[in-house]
Amino acid sequence: MADTSLSTDKLLDMYRTMQRIRQFESRVRDIFQEGQIPGFVHVSIGEEASATGVAAALTEQDYITSTHRGHGHLIAKGGEVKPMMAELFGKKTGYCKGKGGSMHIANFDLGILGANGIVGAGLPIATGAGLAAKVRGSGEVAACFFGDGASNEGTFHESLNIASSWKLPVIYVCENNLYGEFTAGKDVTSVKDIADRARGHDMPGVVVNGNDVVEVYEATSEAVERARKGEGPTLIECKTYRWEGHVVGEEAFLGKRSYRPADEIEAWKKRCPLITFEQRFMPDTFSQEELDTVQSEVKQAIDDAVQFAQDSPYPQPEEALDDMFSKE
Amino acid sequence: MPEMNFIQAINTALAEELRHDPATFMMGLDIWVGAFGATSGLTDEFGAERILNAPISEAGYAGAGVGAAMAGMRPIVEIEFASFFYCCWDQVCNQAAKLRYMSGGQADMPITFRAVCGAVGSAAAQHSETVYSQFMSVPGLKIVVPSGAYDMKGLLKSAIRDNNPVLVFEHLKLGRSREEVPEEEYLVPIGQAAVKREGSDVTIIAIGYMVSQALKAAKSLEEDGISAEVIDPRSLIPLDEETILSSVAKTHNVLVVDEGHLRCGAAAEISAVIADKGFDSLDAPVKRLAAPDVPIPFSPPMEKFVLPNDKKIAATVKEMLG
Ligand SMILES: Cc1ncc(C[n+]2csc(CCOP(=O)(O)OP(=O)(O)O)c2C)c(N)n1
Ligand SMILES: [Mg+2]
């Protein structure tokens, strides 16, 4: 049953966003393996609800910082799939003109201060965006996505302390997918719930089902409200799981070395964010046809994005030298 | 002689040194699984107490290595990508590099830091740097940049046995390159350059992966009647000035090639040494070929544009001698 106060429009929007992320990521995985995308890519299949629920509680003016696994965060914050896909291809029409690639997509107009190749680097940056809003009194908040692994970086602890001491409008969103690269969190992390670390910095720490978009949305909305009232930061831990490898194609270099039990992966697939949504809201709130329509509209958009990326030109080699310093 | 690849050379050097000295142990991200293969199998032989999977806490575990070294151990610290050194700069540059000197020579610092470096193909700016040049102006660190499996194994073993902090940079592109490596134990001393190819018209000094590019260039230059000598410094600190200067004395022309950035890079330092001490040997100014001073871009055509390679080396030499 639809035990939520959310409007059907809002719910359908969130479903659409999750579909967009799922289909973008699945397509990226496939075409990466075909060799169409250079470098390496980290996809967030299985983690659509945390990105979506958090961003749905933000306005366009609010900020986010993201990670190496950032496509979903960007899509949720309003990133368009065409220039995103083009960036992954290294094309001139990409959000960063091909300079950044998968790990570095950014769009400052949408408050997206960037994916990041350095684990933990987004934490101080989001803290600073919150600081900017507070200093100038402009009312935005900053949401900071990071992984369970990142919560072991010094930047995590330093950022939480700064934000709590200065009562900054920041929402720290830990997407705990149980692993950092090929290492289980339990082997290298002092706490089971990353949210417990909030206590050490005197801020609320909340654990949510990260695969339930409504739960994520509601927890974030509360944290945003607190932040806008000047009451300071919140740490939200979304329990979730990545279905794919750390990087797409890791089997090629890991060979037989495995680090996750197969039954664990299967168990988490049953807790799919999309299925969780469908089971909750279908058929009472949405019919199968309504959700199917969303799915096929999204498919068209992703097809178009791939086509756009394929058709776009590469930057000229010499453009490597542009964009270094402000000319003003 | 049996052949092995660069990664196997690292793996066997680590295993031999872990066997050789019970004070050695390793820390790093994912080293149980060993993403690049360099640490595969080590946990089986040496156990999880000596092969430590570290949390993503570079400042923390690099610093723990410094402390363990001061407390009598011989840690080997893996930093994964060289750009992540920036996350533990203080522990390497302020602590490991300085504590022996600042304590009036009391603290030995037998610690080895290993990192993969270089551009592997659209890994973008935060995963493509060489980084070693930045460390060159930090007194107290030794820096080695092996260019093949033989040197890799011998230099890494020397690094681990050294009682000073040594940074070992392993270019990812060399991973599968193969070389003959003797079965019996050997060390390659830190501070000795290698003449990789003899020649008489020009000296090409190349670092790390660029050695393979310089050798390729030398081959193609030969077809144009130019005889190029290729020198691999192997260690940047200490730098084997003698081998470099005697080569310059023979050829009178020199090109220094580095994949790192041009400004204040390794090539700049080597060029300055030659200008200072080998000026009379030179027929022409020392020339540098390095990456321009921009972060390494993601998109393949731009990345190719900024990185030196065999063709650019050959073209630069022809221009110089033209
Ligand atoms: C400072 C730094 N150290 C190590 C890495 C290599 N690395 C990239 S992603 C990653 C794992 C991150 O784990 P987590 O924060 O849990 O995010 P997840 O990949 O699970 O989404 C690591 C170790 C890096 N990019 N930056
Ligand atoms: Mg994780």
Side-chain angles (χ1 to χ4, degrees):
Chain A
M1 247 317 283
D3 50 345
T4 170
S5 55
L6 284 167
S7 71
T8 51
D9 278 356
K10 186 82 183 173
L11 285 169
L12 198 61
D13 264 358
M14 295 203 293
Y15 184 74
R16 184 182 304 278
T17 300
M18 290 200 293
Q19 273 293 347
R20 216 177 261 146
I21 298 171
R22 171 68 56 92
Q23 293 195 37
F24 183 90
E25 296 288 59
S26 304
R27 194 69 64 86
V28 165
R29 174 198 57 200
D30 295 345
I31 59 182
F32 177 83
Q33 274 167 334
E34 289 165 12
Q36 294 198 51
I37 295 176
F40 42 92
V41 290
H42 310 83
V43 296
S44 61
I45 299 172
E47 306 184 35
E48 296 85 357
S50 49
T52 302
V54 168
L58 305 175
T59 68
E60 191 172 317
Q61 285 69 44
D62 291 329
Y63 297 102
I64 65 162
T65 60
S66 172
T67 68
H68 56 286
R69 199 178 305 289
H71 310 155
H73 307 145
L74 268 78
I75 290 174
K77 189 65 175 58
E80 286 178 39
V81 288
K82 279 186 181 173
M84 282 185 63
M85 194 65 87
E87 186 62 31
L88 266 60
F89 275 68
K91 297 298 180 75
K92 194 177 162 67
T93 51
Y95 268 143
C96 306
K97 306 179 205 163
K99 290 215 169 68
S102 164
M103 270 194 296
H104 305 283
I105 317 186
N107 186 306
F108 287 25
D109 292 339
L110 296 169
I112 300 165
L113 301 184
N116 210 305
I118 298 299
V119 169
L123 284 136
I125 294 174
T127 306
L131 177 62
K134 174 157 180 165
V135 168
R136 67 178 174 234
S138 48
E140 303 93 336
V141 303
C144 173
F145 291 100
F146 59 98
D148 49 304
S151 78
N152 289 328
E153 284 285 11
T155 51
F156 166 83
H157 296 279
E158 296 180 26
S159 299
L160 264 65
N161 179 60
I162 289 174
S164 181
S165 303
W166 294 349
K167 296 254 176 293
L168 301 182
V170 187
I171 297 95
Y172 295 98
V173 183
C174 179
E175 295 177 297
N176 186 349
N177 59 12
L178 309 183
Y179 293 85
E181 282 188 348
F182 319 112
T183 295
K186 64 177 163 44
D187 293 330
V188 289
T189 311
S190 55
V191 289
K192 187 164 161 285
D193 295 328
I194 305 298
D196 283 351
R197 291 181 163 169
R199 223 180 316 147
H201 297 289
D202 193 26
M203 69 173 77
V206 193
V207 178
V208 300
N209 174 358
N211 286 3
D212 181 337
V213 72
V214 175
E215 208 179 312
V216 175
Y217 172 81
E218 282 167 354
T220 311
S221 298
E222 210 173 294
V224 168
E225 200 183 312
R226 232 177 82 75
R228 288 210 212 279
K229 278 197 293 200
E231 290 170 13
T234 303
L235 171 59
I236 300 173
E237 176 181 2
C238 300
K239 301 281 192 191
T240 186
Y241 200 77
R242 65 168 155 79
W243 292 10
E244 298 291 322
H246 169 67
V247 289
V248 174
E250 69 188 22
E251 307 75 25
F253 60 86
L254 287 184
K256 290 206 180 66
R257 290 169 285 160
S258 81
Y259 59 97
R260 301 197 294 181
D263 55 350
E264 180 183 278
I265 303 175
E266 287 319 305
W268 275 95
K269 282 189 177 172
K270 297 207 174 84
R271 303 170 60 186
C272 167
L274 289 161
I275 295 176
T276 303
F277 183 98
E278 287 158 7
Q279 282 174 346
R280 187 160 167 190
F281 296 110
M282 216 172 57
D284 291 6
T285 314
F286 304 109
S287 66
Q288 177 85 54
E289 296 72 58
E290 271 174 294
L291 298 189
D292 285 352
T293 307
V294 170
Q295 202 168 328
S296 52
E297 284 167 0
V298 168
K299 180 174 180 304
Q300 188 58 51
I302 303 296
D303 286 346
D304 293 348
V306 173
Q307 193 66 49
F308 174 78
Q310 287 170 339
D311 294 346
S312 292
Y314 280 110
Q316 290 302 309
E318 305 75 36
E319 289 175 44
L321 305 179
D322 299 344
D323 294 321
M324 269 309 290
F325 290 105
S326 168
K327 299 278 187 311
E328 282 154 36
Chain B
M1 228 188 284
E3 276 196 355
M4 64 170 69
N5 73 29
F6 197 67
I7 300 284
Q8 290 163 332
I10 300 169
N11 190 258
T12 49
L14 291 171
E16 284 178 17
E17 291 312 299
L18 285 158
R19 244 170 255 145
H20 171 78
D21 183 351
T24 52
F25 71 99
M26 282 199 65
M27 286 187 277
L29 303 181
D30 298 306
I31 60 177
W32 289 351
V33 163
F36 305 122
T39 55
S40 336
L42 296 181
T43 324
D44 297 336
E45 181 174 351
F46 303 103
E49 281 74 39
R50 286 178 74 198
I51 309 295
L52 290 145
N53 239 14
I56 315 173
S57 313
E58 283 82 3
Y61 76 81
V66 174
M70 290 167 79
M73 298 297 283
R74 191 171 288 279
I76 306 163
V77 177
E78 183 179 299
I79 303 293
E80 208 169 70
F81 283 83
S83 292
F84 310 160
F85 263 125
Y86 296 129
C87 300
C88 54
W89 209 245
D90 176 72
Q91 291 297 328
V92 179
C93 300
N94 255 333
Q95 313 304 331
K98 292 180 182 169
L99 289 180
R100 178 185 164 78
Y101 180 82
M102 292 199 307
S103 65
Q106 292 180 68
D108 265 347
M109 195 62 73
I111 184 168
T112 304
F113 293 98
R114 299 174 39 239
V116 299
C117 76
V120 269
S122 290
Q126 293 173 341
H127 287 72
S128 300
E129 276 180 292
T130 55
V131 188
Y132 43 73
S133 304
Q134 284 96 313
F135 288 109
M136 287 176 72
S137 53
V138 180
L141 303 173
K142 296 187 181 181
I143 300 171
V144 302
V145 191
S147 65
Y150 177 89
D151 284 346
M152 181 68 242
K153 183 170 177 210
L155 282 167
L156 179 54
K157 284 168 67 78
S158 294
I160 295 168
R161 292 188 192 191
D162 204 295
N163 282 340
N164 300 287
V166 184
L167 275 52
V168 182
F169 290 88
E170 304 159 2
H171 202 294
L172 256 179
K173 263 194 198 154
L174 291 170
R176 291 206 199 97
S177 68
R178 302 179 71 81
E179 267 181 7
E180 288 189 341
V181 175
E183 264 170 272
E184 58 277 14
E185 176 161 83
Y186 67 96
L187 298 171
V188 173
I190 296 174
Q192 250 179 41
V195 180
K196 292 283 179 183
R197 182 188 205 272
E198 294 201 33
S200 53
D201 297 330
V202 60
T203 298
I204 305 173
I205 301 167
I207 299 162
Y209 175 66
M210 284 299 131
V211 173
S212 66
Q213 300 299 296
L215 288 169
K216 251 179 156 176
K219 242 190 209 154
S220 86
L221 287 166
E222 194 174 74
E223 284 157 27
D224 295 313
I226 297 171
S227 162
E229 177 146 305
V230 176
I231 306 265
D232 173 3
R234 297 198 287 195
S235 92
L236 296 172
I237 309 285
L239 184 67
D240 179 357
E241 299 183 357
E242 211 181 294
T243 301
I244 291 171
L245 292 169
S246 57
S247 175
V248 176
K250 183 169 76 172
T251 64
H252 314 295
N253 289 288
V254 57
L255 171 67
V256 192
V257 186
D258 181 28
E259 187 185 309
H261 297 297
L262 185 72
R263 191 191 309 131
C264 295
E269 174 61 20
I270 294 170
S271 302
V273 167
I274 299 167
D276 266 359
K277 301 181 181 171
F279 185 75
D280 293 338
S281 311
L282 291 169
D283 280 352
V286 182
K287 190 92 188 131
R288 284 177 293 164
L289 181 63
D293 292 308
V294 295
I296 307 300
F298 168 78
S299 183
M302 293 195 288
E303 185 186 47
K304 189 161 175 231
F305 176 78
V306 302
L307 297 174
N309 60 24
D310 57 324
K311 293 195 177 61
K312 293 182 195 177
I313 295 170
T316 310
V317 167
K318 281 190 212 159
E319 218 170 274
M320 285 167 64
L321 301 183

